[in-house]
Amino acid sequence: MNLLGDAHLRTWTLRFVALLAADPQAQLAWLGERELETESVVEEVELLCRISEGLAERGAVEPENLRDLQAIGRCLAEAEAVCRVPLWANALVTDPVWDAIRPLARQFLLTTLGDWRQPLPRPLHPHTGDR
C-alpha cells in the first residue's frame, strides 16, 4: 500500500467530485475562459471511478463511497451521446446528464466528508508556451 500515493489520489478524487457537485454557475465561473472539452471531463470521471476501486481495495475509500462514485460512472455510461456538445461549459447548460450527476456527486461528498459544499480545485491555467 502506498499511503502517500493513495492520499494524493483520494484528494484528487474529492476535488474533482467537488467540481461535479458545484452549482452550474460555480462550475462555469471555475471554467472561466478555458475551453475544456466535455470528452475530457467524461474521461476524468471514468478514470476516477477506476482509481477509486483500487483505493477501496486498499481501504483508502469506504465501500459506501465507492458505490456513490460508481453511480456517477453509471449515470455517464447510460447517457446517450454525452459528448455531443464539445465544450463542457456548453454541455453544462444543455445536457441534462450533468444535472443528474450533480446530486450523485453531492451524495458522495456528504457521505465522505459530511458536507457537499467543498472548495473547488484550483483552476489549471492553459499552457501558453511561457515558463
Side-chain angles (χ1 to χ4, degrees):
M1 178 197 252
N2 179 344
L3 294 178
L4 184 58
D6 285 355
H8 174 74
L9 291 172
R10 184 177 187 278
T11 298
W12 171 77
T13 298
L14 292 171
R15 288 180 180 159
F16 194 79
V17 174
L19 180 59
L20 294 174
D23 291 324
Q25 301 86 347
Q27 292 169 325
L28 292 170
W30 181 87
L31 281 167
E33 297 298 316
R34 263 188 262 53
E35 292 186 348
L36 184 60
E37 293 181 9
T38 303
E39 185 175 357
S40 295
V41 176
V42 170
E43 288 172 356
E44 288 293 316
V45 173
E46 291 170 344
L47 178 61
L48 98 100
C49 289
R50 285 193 306 273
I51 287 172
S52 296
E53 289 174 7
L55 291 174
E57 289 171 4
R58 295 187 297 279
V61 170
E62 296 297 321
E64 62 269 15
N65 303 121
L66 180 60
R67 286 190 289 276
D68 291 336
L69 287 173
Q70 289 170 332
I72 292 169
R74 280 191 306 277
C75 185
L76 269 180
E78 293 169 1
E80 288 187 34
V82 74
C83 295
R84 70 176 169 249
V85 179
L87 296 180
W88 194 45
N90 297 334
L92 282 170
V93 296
T94 62
D95 195 334
V97 72
W98 301 107
D99 291 331
I101 287 173
R102 197 168 289 110
L104 298 172
R106 289 176 180 181
Q107 180 59 46
F108 168 80
L109 293 170
L110 185 63
T111 303
T112 305
L113 302 175
D115 191 353
W116 69 265
R117 292 170 205 86
Q118 299 296 317
L120 297 184
R122 288 185 310 181
L124 296 176
H125 299 289
H127 179 66
T128 62
D130 299 331
R131 293 195 174 216

